[in-house]
Amino acid sequence: MAPRQLHLNVNTLNAGFYSSAWRAPSSDPRAYADIAHYVKVAQIAERGTLDAIFLADVPAFSDRPDLRPFQALEPTIVLAHVAAATEHLGLIGTASTSFNDPYNLARRFASLDIASNGRVGWNIVTTADASAARNFGTDELEAHANRYERADEFADVVTALWDSWEDDAFVGDKATGRFIDTAKVHPIDHRGRHFSVRGPLNVPRSVQGRPVLVQAGGSADGIRLAARHAEAIFSVAHTLEGALAFAGTVRTQARTFGRSGDDIVILPGLATIIGSTEAEARRREEELWALTPGDYGLRRVAGILKVDPSSLDLDGPLPEVARPVDGMQTFFDALVGAADREKLTVRQLIRRFGGSTGHRVIVGTPEAIADNIAAWFTAGAVDGFNLMPDVLPEGLEVFVDHVVPLLRKRGLFRTHYSGRTLREHFGLPRPASRFAPGTAVSAPRVAAGR
Amino acid sequence: MAPRQLHLNVNTLNAGFYSSAWRAPSSDPRAYADIAHYVKVAQIAERGTLDAIFLADVPAFSDRPDLRPFQALEPTIVLAHVAAATEHLGLIGTASTSFNDPYNLARRFASLDIASNGRVGWNIVTTADASAARNFGTDELEAHANRYERADEFADVVTALWDSWEDDAFVGDKATGRFIDTAKVHPIDHRGRHFSVRGPLNVPRSVQGRPVLVQAGGSADGIRLAARHAEAIFSVAHTLEGALAFAGTVRTQARTFGRSGDDIVILPGLATIIGSTEAEARRREEELWALTPGDYGLRRVAGILKVDPSSLDLDGPLPEVARPVDGMQTFFDALVGAADREKLTVRQLIRRFGGSTGHRVIVGTPEAIADNIAAWFTAGAVDGFNLMPDVLPEGLEVFVDHVVPLLRKRGLFRTHYSGRTLREHFGLPRPASRFAPGTAVSAPRVAAGR
């Protein structure tokens, strides 16, 4: 059996994960809306034999556009462009199940999967952002449970559409004039609570069968969605113990859906601030923090906690705060967890999380980062990480040139791509179409009692 | 004043406009789902300094997938890829107002417009295809008038979103930390019969202001939509007189909406089968017809007429057929018009239209085609054509190498691109944002009495 392999994506958060990244000396403030920036990041990632580029998304302004970049360009458009400029790199785009239609989404990702020769993944999100809802005809978000119910059915419809062509439906025989064997292209005839979709998709199956399903979101409903559908998970993990527990929960729950539980690639976010010495890395962080405007950190932390910023005593401990019923639960838990564990004041908490995303941050040398990655990976807590460099492309360049070689030296990470598709990079099986004759239906089953 | 310039797009109907194009010796049957095919066509078009590549679309199987290729890959994905492989060529993609959401569509085309440095056009269609409706939760199409009412409001929302950023909203000042001047980014607060959209768009304005609005569809509702919104029209014209009349109608009607009427580029479809002699061109057509499977032509003509194929007497004249109330009206008129004018039997009609799209076809030499294009253009009947080569890429290559030089020699067509954006290619003004201070609102006005 081949040794377990580490997987690394780069989560391309515009200028970098740090809120002030766009103000760093190496940054171009226009990069957030410049396709060349994304192409450059992708090409560096491919040079480092990373598994994939990952793009987050919200279909609305998010955070503070007056103070920092946001996700502007629609991810599938960016990835189609990046596909043309890369050969191996996986391409994972986020798209919301609350504000899309399954036929269009299935078709767009299937088209991208064909255009890239099978390198695509869809990151399923339900979007916990009321400003997005207002762009789509409603003033309020659907309740959390309803959003996840819709997401579950949405993923069923999309995977059925991706399966609607058998692999050998294309004939293309000039002599006989037969183009498609339409007996091998199947209507899906889906009629559910949220969607009625006849199908089939008007796009053939790609070389990897269908795009990889990725999921992000750590609520109970989110974990259930991941356990049922996800082939890769972008999770939040601040401690090794927490990551081990999360992996156990997901894999166990996946088995209740008839899955093996081992064919899920778990990749928590990992933000990095790298220096050639620890002191240099700390200095780099200080500089980025110094560039973060006055009240941005306070407002960001208060936003995650869902409290009024003025209610917080900066030099006191974090007051008791109710866990929000919707959105940002994992980031809430990360903040409150750190405050409890380390007895942080509100000011210290803001310093820790105010410039950041809520994901774990390592500030240190390439060696320290490689050690930490190796430790989490060999402990079985993760299959790799969704990397978030502090500043892009600079921080990724440093990672690729200084951390990747260390991981390769330890035999943890590939020195070249051995496969072509994202499924091959992730070590995931190529799914058979559920409609192919003799296929034991591999579609996720609905757990008993639901 | 600069002399009026001819405009030419290439309508990239997969293997070519002829139904059997995929069986031609030069064709690759897999081209319809091969992104490299579209890139190749685009690069040939760019070599010929054409204005744009144009992609039709239906979000469902259309026509006869057992016998011929269809639009599989989603146009904006194809165009994003093509954008990366070209520098000047315009990129026009079709997307349905019936089966999309205005925020997502506005965002996708705006993203593509930025990724391509302002080369994008959106071809607005309402989709007259019941099989599409069944992929989107309904068994039946909305009535024609309702679809067009929705399309009208849809276009209003999309253009408002594209205007929601003033040109100078981006600040990106590292020194002060100001990223966007949010006072220059405007909610659109649209509340209409079909849509409620708050906005603003989370994508800045592109170098050409916003994508070019293109419209296709010649019903009365379609012409009204074009007169109100379109900056370019993909029409159907079989006779010079018909084309002159259409141009007059559209421009007159545009004036009732407060537009000048002259800032609309009218480009009928023009299918070409080219040979170095007329006999060779005729032979080429014979060969393509011979490759069209037995009943395809009959079924296609019967489908446009909306009659049972078995009800037609092949050697008799076309019987009285009622004009369909929905879909394909322009193609219906073309068929019935030709049968009347030329006293064609059903068999002759099938021979004429059975392998074709319903658009005008010229079978002839480069000189004959250049003469015809020049005659229609100089008569003021058209501003150019949406070209449909018989076989792709071969037929486009022949057009670019043999017809384009003749048009250039006559001073009708550019020898190099003088602009960068699609608006510049088409000679269209760059619209100001309706929200910019001092802008006389340039948004289309609703005609009195509606």
Side-chain angles (χ1 to χ4, degrees), chain A residues 23-24 27 33 57-59 65-66 72 74 80-81 99 104 107 111 114 134-135 137 174-175 179-180 196 198-199 202, chain B residues 23-24 27 33 57-58 65-66 72 74 80-81 99 103-104 107 111 114 134-135 137 174-175 179-180 196 198-199 202:
Chain A
R23 298 178 71 187
S27 291
D57 197 51
V58 180
D66 55 329
E74 194 277 324
H81 210 94
F99 306 117
N104 285 339
R107 188 167 173 225
S111 300
I114 285 179
R134 288 190 285 270
N135 291 331
K174 287 188 184 182
F179 191 68
I180 299 290
S196 293
R198 176 107 198 282
N202 56 344
Chain B
R23 297 178 73 187
S27 292
D57 198 52
V58 181
D66 54 331
E74 195 278 320
H81 210 93
F99 306 117
Y103 192 91
N104 285 339
R107 187 169 174 224
S111 299
I114 284 179
R134 289 190 285 269
N135 291 331
K174 287 188 183 183
F179 191 68
I180 300 288
S196 293
R198 177 111 199 278
N202 56 344

Side-chain angles (χ1 to χ4, degrees), chain A residues 315-331:
Chain A
D315 294 307
L318 189 65
E320 280 292 322
V321 186
R323 192 170 188 252
V325 292
D326 197 1
M328 301 279 204
Q329 285 184 6
T330 44
F331 293 153

Side-chain angles (χ1 to χ4, degrees), chain A residues 188-255:
Chain A
I188 67 166
D189 283 327
H190 177 91
R191 289 200 179 259
R193 179 148 176 208
H194 298 271
F195 307 106
S196 293
V197 181
R198 176 107 198 282
L201 199 63
N202 56 344
V203 183
R205 263 162 90 78
S206 82
V207 61
Q208 71 169 348
R210 56 189 202 216
V212 173
L213 293 182
V214 184
Q215 185 275 352
S219 67
D221 289 329
I223 291 171
R224 185 187 175 281
L225 185 73
R228 184 155 179 254
H229 295 284
E231 301 170 287
I233 299 177
F234 173 26
S235 58
V236 180
H238 283 264
T239 65
L240 182 61
E241 300 67 43
L244 275 165
F246 178 84
T249 302
V250 167
R251 298 197 203 280
T252 303
Q253 210 174 120
R255 282 181 208 111

Side-chain angles (χ1 to χ4, degrees), chain A residues 188-409:
Chain A
I188 67 166
D189 283 327
H190 177 91
R191 289 200 179 259
R193 179 148 176 208
H194 298 271
F195 307 106
S196 293
V197 181
R198 176 107 198 282
L201 199 63
N202 56 344
V203 183
R205 263 162 90 78
S206 82
V207 61
Q208 71 169 348
R210 56 189 202 216
V212 173
L213 293 182
V214 184
Q215 185 275 352
S219 67
D221 289 329
I223 291 171
R224 185 187 175 281
L225 185 73
R228 184 155 179 254
H229 295 284
E231 301 170 287
I233 299 177
F234 173 26
S235 58
V236 180
H238 283 264
T239 65
L240 182 61
E241 300 67 43
L244 275 165
F246 178 84
T249 302
V250 167
R251 298 197 203 280
T252 303
Q253 210 174 120
R255 282 181 208 111
T256 70
F257 291 110
R259 304 177 65 190
S260 88
D262 296 322
D263 51 357
I264 302 175
V265 179
I266 301 178
L267 310 167
L270 178 61
T272 54
I273 301 177
I274 308 177
S276 51
T277 62
E278 184 168 338
E280 188 187 306
R282 294 266 160 229
R283 209 156 47 233
R284 187 172 164 92
E285 192 204 9
E286 280 303 326
E287 284 163 13
L288 287 168
W289 175 247
L291 291 171
T292 303
D295 69 343
Y296 176 85
L298 168 63
R299 286 179 182 278
R300 177 150 179 95
V301 164
I304 291 172
L305 298 172
K306 296 207 168 179
V307 298
D308 178 351
S310 67
S311 73
L312 293 169
D313 170 11
L314 292 182
D315 294 307
L318 189 65
E320 280 292 322
V321 186
R323 192 170 188 252
V325 292
D326 197 1
M328 301 279 204
Q329 285 184 6
T330 44
F331 293 153
F332 177 93
D333 293 346
L335 252 72
V336 173
D340 281 359
R341 267 195 318 277
E342 306 178 39
K343 311 287 172 229
L344 303 176
T345 64
V346 169
R347 194 185 300 278
Q348 288 168 320
L349 204 62
I350 291 169
R351 178 66 187 71
R352 175 81 62 85
F353 288 96
S356 172
T357 61
H359 283 276
R360 185 164 70 109
V361 184
I362 308 185
V363 183
T365 62
E367 290 72 19
I369 290 168
D371 285 347
N372 189 285
I373 288 175
W376 284 50
F377 177 67
T378 51
V382 302
D383 297 298
F385 293 96
N386 206 6
L387 300 171
M388 292 179 269
D390 49 1
V391 175
L392 285 169
E394 188 193 18
L396 178 63
E397 213 147 28
V398 171
F399 190 95
V400 160
D401 290 336
H402 298 280
V403 183
V404 165
L406 299 176
L407 297 170
R408 286 176 176 161
K409 209 177 288 175

Side-chain angles (χ1 to χ4, degrees), chain B residues 257-386:
Chain B
F257 292 108
R259 304 178 65 188
S260 90
D262 296 322
D263 51 358
I264 303 177
V265 178
I266 301 179
L267 309 168
L270 178 60
T272 54
I273 302 179
I274 309 177
S276 51
T277 63
E278 183 167 339
E280 188 187 305
R282 293 267 162 227
R283 211 157 45 234
R284 187 173 164 92
E285 192 203 11
E286 281 303 327
E287 284 163 12
L288 287 167
W289 175 247
L291 290 172
T292 303
D295 70 342
Y296 177 85
L298 168 62
R299 286 179 181 278
R300 176 150 180 97
V301 166
I304 290 173
L305 297 172
K306 294 208 169 177
V307 299
D308 179 351
S310 66
S311 73
L312 293 170
D313 171 10
L314 292 182
D315 295 308
L318 189 65
E320 281 290 325
V321 185
R323 191 168 191 255
V325 291
D326 195 3
M328 302 280 204
Q329 285 183 4
T330 44
F331 292 154
F332 178 93
D333 294 344
L335 252 71
V336 172
D340 281 359
R341 268 196 317 275
E342 307 177 39
K343 311 288 173 227
L344 302 176
T345 65
V346 170
R347 195 184 298 278
Q348 289 168 321
L349 204 63
I350 290 169
R351 179 67 187 72
R352 174 80 62 86
F353 288 95
S356 174
T357 61
H359 283 276
R360 185 163 71 107
V361 185
I362 309 185
V363 183
T365 61
E367 289 73 19
I369 290 169
D371 284 347
N372 189 286
I373 287 175
W376 284 48
F377 176 69
T378 51
V382 303
D383 297 299
F385 293 97
N386 205 5

Side-chain angles (χ1 to χ4, degrees), chain B residues 52-69:
Chain B
I53 183 173
F54 178 102
L55 294 179
D57 198 52
V58 181
F61 270 134
S62 55
D63 206 0
R64 295 284 302 272
D66 54 331
L67 297 180
R68 64 172 297 183

Side-chain angles (χ1 to χ4, degrees), chain B residues 348-419:
Chain B
Q348 289 168 321
L349 204 63
I350 290 169
R351 179 67 187 72
R352 174 80 62 86
F353 288 95
S356 174
T357 61
H359 283 276
R360 185 163 71 107
V361 185
I362 309 185
V363 183
T365 61
E367 289 73 19
I369 290 169
D371 284 347
N372 189 286
I373 287 175
W376 284 48
F377 176 69
T378 51
V382 303
D383 297 299
F385 293 97
N386 205 5
L387 300 172
M388 294 180 266
D390 50 0
V391 175
L392 285 169
E394 189 193 15
L396 178 63
E397 213 146 28
V398 172
F399 190 96
V400 161
D401 289 337
H402 298 280
V403 183
V404 165
L406 300 176
L407 297 170
R408 285 176 177 161
K409 209 177 289 174
R410 297 172 194 210
L412 297 177
F413 196 58
R414 65 175 75 83
T415 55
H416 64 278
Y417 292 101
S418 56

